[in-house]
């Protein structure tokens, strides 16, 4: 029987040499006249093991990693096709602790299947949610999503069902589903992994959203820095269209739905939903004032659902397994699972899907394994560039929207950046202000001007110029930005700045004279 060898096609694996590894494996198969084939799967999300090569054996899939092209000959000599022993052998993939301890609902197929095989997709529960949705009324679908407790995974945590209901109830000759795949937050790659590793789940989720709200067209808005995701998503859309999943009659039903991928130039503010809509319409990516809500007047002024990739990709499993199944995971008002992305100075970086509720310390110390440098963890920034820096003293905070908000933090898109004790938190605070100054759309003064003044003030603190007065000024600037900005770019930049000042006051003391003179 033909043996299947899996080599990821995910961008992270490609960056680490997966293409060369795949070619070397194909070469060995041919040179040795073996009955084996290579399937290019998505990533399992264990980035320190990429490129992770797997072989399907009678006992299950056996993993090897990280594999370099130069290792391939030795792997074949060691009996790769039967899961032979080798220093790179990691045993059964599903038994690797990082993977075994996860609850993979949204990412259940990612890394398991050939992303562009509809056959694989169906084999692993794909399209079951859509099949159910087709025979339900829009109100029933919306109720199921509402009851599941699903909240937007893009950052704001707004209940997805309520947003869908607003669009369902809105009158309009044309409605739209817009998938926010801009993924601008630092330390985040979950959206990209889904688009490259299981694109049909996003197509299925968007189609269900269309049926629920009466929208017949969908757009995936992503950034040009994601060429592999764009290519895979576009191919998957064509395959789905050819199979009758997309088009005038979704899976033979009376519902029409079709979609396409659009790419932007990659401005952080274009991830903000109204700015995204402007960009999608071909205009400058500048934030629109709300109201009107995009749900009522969104793309081209029509009722529009704007949802993050993970929000939409979580819908198929909810429809398939039911709202109660999904809602049973999690804590408080944070229901279901969340794909946590662990990055920065960390030993085991990658994607870890789990129910809400793990403590930050468990995630960083146990799952992430502490820093890659081996030095003590000093701070963790959760939620991208607008997220707060948490010190070890806050490591008991459970991963939950409300628990983080109660400690002046946010979960955002669930990206975590780890820093060791060499991090300079005044520098990080300055960076937050600088990032805001560069990325600001320029529409409102507190953000546009405040961020530049923030950079100057941080520099004065560093130089020891009236440090107490300038620290008070920085806090005052933050207060103005927090309450006077139109969107969360200006409004949340104070979180990293103030958390750095509050939790690491020693870093805001003037530098010793030697450094100041440099
Ligand atoms: C500056 C800024 C950048 C944002 N970037 C993203 C992004 O990259 N992806 C995303 O899904 N949401 C982003 N958001 C949040 C969106 O405005 C919006 O809340 C989200 O797309 C709604 O989808 P959800 O309810 O599924 O989370 C950003 C918001 C702001 C203020
Ligand atoms: S806060 Fe900044 S990014 Fe947001 S609308 Fe105002 S100027 Fe634009």
């Amino acid at each position: 029987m033909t043996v299947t060898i899996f080599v990821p096609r995910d961008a992270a694996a490609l960056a680490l040499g997966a293409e060369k590894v795949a070619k070397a494996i194909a070469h060995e198969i041919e040179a040795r006249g073996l009955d084996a084939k290579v399937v290019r799967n998505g990533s399992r999300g264990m980035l320190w093991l990429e490129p992770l090569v797997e072989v399907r054996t009678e006992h299950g899939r056996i993993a090897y990693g990280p594999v370099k092209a130069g290792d391939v000959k030795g792997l074949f000599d060691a009996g790769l096709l039967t899961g032979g022993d080798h220093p790179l052998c990691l045993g059964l993939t599903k038994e690797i602790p990082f993977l075994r301890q996860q609850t993979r609902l949204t990412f259940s197929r990612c890394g398991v299947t050939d992303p562009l095989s509809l056959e694989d997709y169906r084999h692993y529960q794909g399209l079951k949610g859509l099949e159910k949705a087709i025979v339900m009324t829009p109100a029933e679908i919306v109720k199921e999503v509402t009851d599941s407790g699903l909240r937007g995974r893009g950052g704001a945590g707004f209940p997805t069902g309520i947003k869908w209901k607003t669009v369902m109830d809105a009158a309009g000759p044309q409605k739209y589903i817009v998938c926010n795949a801009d993924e601008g937050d630092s330390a985040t790659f979950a959206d990209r992994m889904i688009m490259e590793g299981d694109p049909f789940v996003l197509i299925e989720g968007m189609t269900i959203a269309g049926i629920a709200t009466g929208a017949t067209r969908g757009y995936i808005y992503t950034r040009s820095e994601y060429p592999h995701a764009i290519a895979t998503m576009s191919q998957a859309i064509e395959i789905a269209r050819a199979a009758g999943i997309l088009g005038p009659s979704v899976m033979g039903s009376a519902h029409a739905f079709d979609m396409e991928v659009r790419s932007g130039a990659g401005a952080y503010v274009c991830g903000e939903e109204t700015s995204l809509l402007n960009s999608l319409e071909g205009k400058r990516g500048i934030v629109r004032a709300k109201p009107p809500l995009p749900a009522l007047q969104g793309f081209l002024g029509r009722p529009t659902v704007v949802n993050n990739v993970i929000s939409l990709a979580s819908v198929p499993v909810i429809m398939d397994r039911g709202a109660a199944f999904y809602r049973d995971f999690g804590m408080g008002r944070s229901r279901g699972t969340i794909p946590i992305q662990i990055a920065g100075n960390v030993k085991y970086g990658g994607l870890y899907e789990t129910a809400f509720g793990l403590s930050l310390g468990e995630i960083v110390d146990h799952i992430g394994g502490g820093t890659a440098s081996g030095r003590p963890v000093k701070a963790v920034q959760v939620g991208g560039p607008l997220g707060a820096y948490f010190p070890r003293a806050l490591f008991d905070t459970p991963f939950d929207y409300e628990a983080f908000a109660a400690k002046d933090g946010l979960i955002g898109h669930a990206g975590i950046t780890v820093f060791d004790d060499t991090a300079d938190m005044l520098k990080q605070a300055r960076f937050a202000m600088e990032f805001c100054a560069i990325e600001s759309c320029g529409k409102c003064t507190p953000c546009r001007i405040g961020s530049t003044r923030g950079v100057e003030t941080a520099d004065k603190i560093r130089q020891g110029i009236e440090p107490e007065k300038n620290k008070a000024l920085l806090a005052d600037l933050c207060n103005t930005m927090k309450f006077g900005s139109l969107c969360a770019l200006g409004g949340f930049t104070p979180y990293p700045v103030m958390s750095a000042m509050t939790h690491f006051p020693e870093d805001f003391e003037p530098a010793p004279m030697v450094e100041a003179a440099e």
Side-chain angles (χ1 to χ4, degrees), residues 183-205:
E183 196 158 56
D185 277 3
S186 42
T188 63
F189 41 86
D191 298 351
R192 181 185 61 66
M193 272 182 64
I194 280 289
M195 291 189 284
E196 293 177 3
D198 193 16
F200 293 124
V201 78
L202 182 54
I203 294 172
E204 186 178 350

Side-chain angles (χ1 to χ4, degrees), residues 150-160 163-164 178-185 188 191 221 223 267-276 287 290 305-312 385-386 401 412-413 435 439 486-492:
L150 179 67
R151 290 165 72 179
R153 303 294 190 236
F158 188 81
T160 307
K163 190 181 282 186
W164 286 21
V178 172
C179 171
N180 189 343
D182 197 52
E183 196 158 56
D185 277 3
T188 63
D191 298 351
Y221 180 93
R223 50 182 54 229
Y268 184 68
V269 78
C270 283
E272 192 282 332
E273 57 185 2
T274 61
S275 191
L276 183 158
V287 174
K290 286 190 272 194
V305 167
V306 183
N307 268 143
N308 174 255
V309 172
I310 304 301
S311 317
L312 291 160
L386 309 177
Y401 291 108
H413 189 44
F435 180 82
E439 298 292 338
L486 184 59
C487 87
L489 180 45
F492 281 45

